[in-house]
Amino acid sequence: MPEPREAGSEELVLAFLAEAGDEYVSGEAISDKLGLSRAAVWKHVESLRGHGYRIDAVPARGYRLREIPDRLTPLELLPLLSTHDLGQVLHCHAELPSTNDLAKQLAEDGAAHGEVVLADRQTAGRGRRGRTWASPAGKNLYFSAVLRPESLPPQRAPELTLVASVALCHAVRQAGVDAGIKWPNDILAGGRKVCGILTEMAADPDHVQWVVLGVGVNLNAGPEDFPDELRSQATSLAMERRQPVPRALFAAAALGLLEEWLDRFDREGFAGIRDEWRVLSETLGREVRVALDGREVVGRAEDIDETGALLVRTERTLERVLSGDVEHLRPR
Ligand code: BTN
């Protein structure tokens, strides 16, 4: 099993080049800034090239990063991360049954807040309500973050999924795809699902031990990557914007946004998230059918309450829905 990784000097050189964008940076500037010899900088550049990075070197101008390989390893991710906790310890794997399962095991073994498990492929990716999550290799993003919310009572933990949906919806929008949230936490693009979130936790009666926030985003999947029965309901960012998505860039942006919104939740509670969730929602104001265990609620989705529950106005009453599968009945 690969060791979790934190940034070393090769990652720092890469971060420096990445930060400069299209600009050249001199070897001298890099060595001064990072306290490395010029020879060490050159060695790191050579090693990065060996890992598939395209780096231009021009005498008197310096180095310029031209292309990042489409891989999700600490080498690609760590230099792009701007987070203080989330993903600073990364457990990257080529293949796992499910990133949530490993994250849960690591959390049980004492993993710290913010550790992230990521896999290029999942062989038993799990969705909500016992469904499977299609997880082909080399195309999408599958990760699980271990959270240890210090003062969140266990009954309020479901609010974290709504926080995550706001963050992920923004990540998809930043990648140029118009997206919205289907209650509670599906991200839709063009009415089809592009991202799903699976939250699991362990708690005592009055204390959350850990929460594992599992996120799957269809980035570069094509229609052929979805099982037949899902093909009409699922999409990917690449299918929507007709251009591939650099996975490491998207992953770093998503982790950054996730941390931003989690920090806000920490400071302001769900009140600080609710209005944004409402703005991004594709469910509110729509006629919906909600499948609850053993019954169905049909009506107009009016709002979410201060705990994130969906309020549905039926012919007879206002139903407060805590969990369930929502179907939007009519297009907007
Ligand atoms: C859903 O919408 O049903 C939730 C899907 C969650 C999928 C992600 S992929 C990463 C993590 N590992 C899993 O096994 N599931 C979540």
Coordinates of all heavy atoms in Angstrom, one line a residue, residues 98-100 122 124-128 131 133 142-144 186 193 196-198 214-216, ligand 1:
S98 N -13.4 0.8 -2.8 CA -14.2 2.1 -2.6 C -13.3 3.0 -1.7 O -12.8 2.6 -0.6 CB -15.5 1.7 -1.9 OG -15.9 2.9 -1.1
T99 N -13.2 4.2 -2.1 CA -12.4 5.2 -1.3 C -13.1 5.4 0.0 O -12.4 5.6 1.0 CB -12.2 6.5 -2.0 OG1 -13.5 7.1 -2.4 CG2 -11.4 6.4 -3.3
N100 N -14.4 5.3 0.1 CA -15.1 5.5 1.4 C -14.7 4.4 2.3 O -14.5 4.7 3.5 CB -16.6 5.5 1.2 CG -17.2 6.9 1.1 OD1 -16.6 7.8 0.5 ND2 -18.3 7.1 1.8
Q122 N -12.4 2.6 -9.0 CA -13.0 1.8 -7.9 C -13.7 0.6 -8.5 O -14.3 0.6 -9.5 CB -14.1 2.6 -7.2 CG -13.5 3.9 -6.5 CD -14.6 4.6 -5.7 OE1 -14.5 4.8 -4.5 NE2 -15.6 5.1 -6.4
A124 N -15.7 -1.3 -6.5 CA -17.0 -1.5 -5.8 C -17.4 -0.1 -5.3 O -17.7 0.0 -4.1 CB -16.8 -2.5 -4.6
G125 N -17.4 0.9 -6.2 CA -17.8 2.2 -5.8 C -19.3 2.2 -5.3 O -20.1 1.6 -6.0
R126 N -19.5 2.9 -4.2 CA -20.9 2.8 -3.7 C -21.6 4.2 -3.8 O -21.0 5.2 -3.6 CB -20.8 2.4 -2.2 CG -20.2 1.0 -2.0 CD -20.4 0.6 -0.5 NE -19.4 1.2 0.3 CZ -19.7 2.1 1.3 NH1 -20.9 2.5 1.5 NH2 -18.7 2.6 2.0
G127 N -22.9 4.1 -4.1 CA -23.7 5.3 -4.1 C -24.7 5.3 -2.9 O -24.6 4.4 -2.0
R128 N -25.6 6.2 -2.8 CA -26.5 6.2 -1.8 C -27.5 5.1 -2.0 O -27.7 4.6 -3.1 CB -27.3 7.6 -1.7 CG -26.5 8.7 -1.3 CD -27.1 10.1 -1.5 NE -28.4 10.2 -0.9 CZ -29.5 10.6 -1.4 NH1 -29.5 11.0 -2.7 NH2 -30.6 10.7 -0.7
R131 N -26.8 1.7 -4.0 CA -26.5 1.7 -5.4 C -25.0 1.6 -5.7 O -24.2 1.8 -4.8 CB -27.0 2.9 -6.1 CG -28.5 3.1 -5.9 CD -29.0 4.2 -6.8 NE -30.5 4.4 -6.5 CZ -30.9 5.5 -5.8 NH1 -30.1 6.3 -5.3 NH2 -32.2 5.6 -5.6
W133 N -21.6 2.9 -7.9 CA -21.2 4.2 -8.6 C -20.2 3.8 -9.6 O -19.1 3.2 -9.3 CB -20.6 5.1 -7.5 CG -20.2 6.5 -8.1 CD1 -18.9 6.9 -8.5 CD2 -21.1 7.5 -8.4 NE1 -19.0 8.1 -9.0 CE2 -20.3 8.6 -9.0 CE3 -22.4 7.7 -8.3 CZ2 -20.8 9.8 -9.4 CZ3 -23.0 9.0 -8.7 CH2 -22.2 10.0 -9.2
Y142 N -12.7 10.3 -7.9 CA -13.3 9.6 -6.8 C -12.5 9.8 -5.5 O -11.3 9.4 -5.5 CB -13.4 8.0 -7.0 CG -13.6 7.7 -8.4 CD1 -12.7 7.1 -9.2 CD2 -14.9 7.9 -9.0 CE1 -12.9 6.8 -10.6 CE2 -15.1 7.6 -10.3 CZ -14.1 7.0 -11.1 OH -14.4 6.7 -12.4
F143 N -13.0 10.5 -4.6 CA -12.2 10.7 -3.3 C -13.1 10.7 -2.1 O -14.3 10.9 -2.2 CB -11.4 12.0 -3.4 CG -12.2 13.3 -3.3 CD1 -12.5 13.8 -2.0 CD2 -12.6 14.0 -4.4 CE1 -13.2 15.0 -1.9 CE2 -13.4 15.2 -4.2 CZ -13.6 15.7 -3.0
S144 N -12.5 10.5 -1.0 CA -13.2 10.5 0.3 C -12.3 11.3 1.3 O -11.1 11.0 1.5 CB -13.4 9.1 0.8 OG -14.2 8.4 -0.1
D186 N -27.4 15.8 -5.0 CA -26.9 15.4 -6.3 C -26.6 16.7 -7.1 O -27.4 17.6 -7.1 CB -28.0 14.7 -7.0 CG -28.3 13.3 -6.5 OD1 -27.4 12.8 -5.7 OD2 -29.3 12.7 -6.9
K193 N -27.2 13.7 -13.8 CA -26.3 13.7 -12.7 C -24.8 13.7 -13.1 O -24.4 12.8 -13.9 CB -26.6 12.4 -11.8 CG -25.9 12.4 -10.5 CD -26.6 11.6 -9.5 CE -25.8 11.2 -8.4 NZ -26.6 10.5 -7.3
G196 N -22.0 12.9 -7.3 CA -22.8 12.4 -6.2 C -21.9 12.4 -4.9 O -20.7 12.4 -5.0
I197 N -22.6 12.5 -3.8 CA -21.9 12.6 -2.5 C -22.5 11.5 -1.5 O -23.7 11.4 -1.4 CB -22.1 14.0 -1.9 CG1 -21.5 15.0 -2.9 CG2 -21.4 14.1 -0.5 CD1 -21.9 16.5 -2.6
L198 N -21.6 10.8 -0.9 CA -22.0 9.8 0.0 C -21.3 10.0 1.4 O -20.1 9.9 1.5 CB -21.6 8.4 -0.5 CG -21.9 7.2 0.4 CD1 -23.4 7.0 0.5 CD2 -21.2 5.9 -0.1
G214 N -17.6 11.2 0.9 CA -17.2 10.6 -0.4 C -17.8 11.3 -1.6 O -19.0 11.5 -1.6
V215 N -16.9 11.6 -2.5 CA -17.4 12.4 -3.7 C -17.0 11.7 -5.0 O -15.8 11.4 -5.2 CB -16.7 13.8 -3.6 CG1 -17.1 14.6 -4.9 CG2 -17.1 14.6 -2.4
G216 N -17.9 11.6 -5.9 CA -17.6 11.1 -7.2 C -18.1 12.1 -8.2 O -19.2 12.6 -8.2
Ligands
BTN1 C1 -24.7 9.0 -4.8 O1 -25.0 10.0 -5.5 O2 -25.4 7.9 -4.8 C2 -23.4 9.1 -4.1 C3 -22.2 8.6 -4.9 C4 -20.9 8.7 -4.2 C5 -19.8 8.1 -5.0 C6 -18.4 8.4 -4.4 S1 -17.1 8.0 -5.4 C7 -16.0 8.2 -4.1 C8 -16.6 7.6 -2.8 N1 -16.4 6.2 -2.8 C9 -17.5 5.5 -2.9 O3 -17.6 4.2 -2.9 N2 -18.6 6.3 -3.1 C10 -18.2 7.7 -3.0

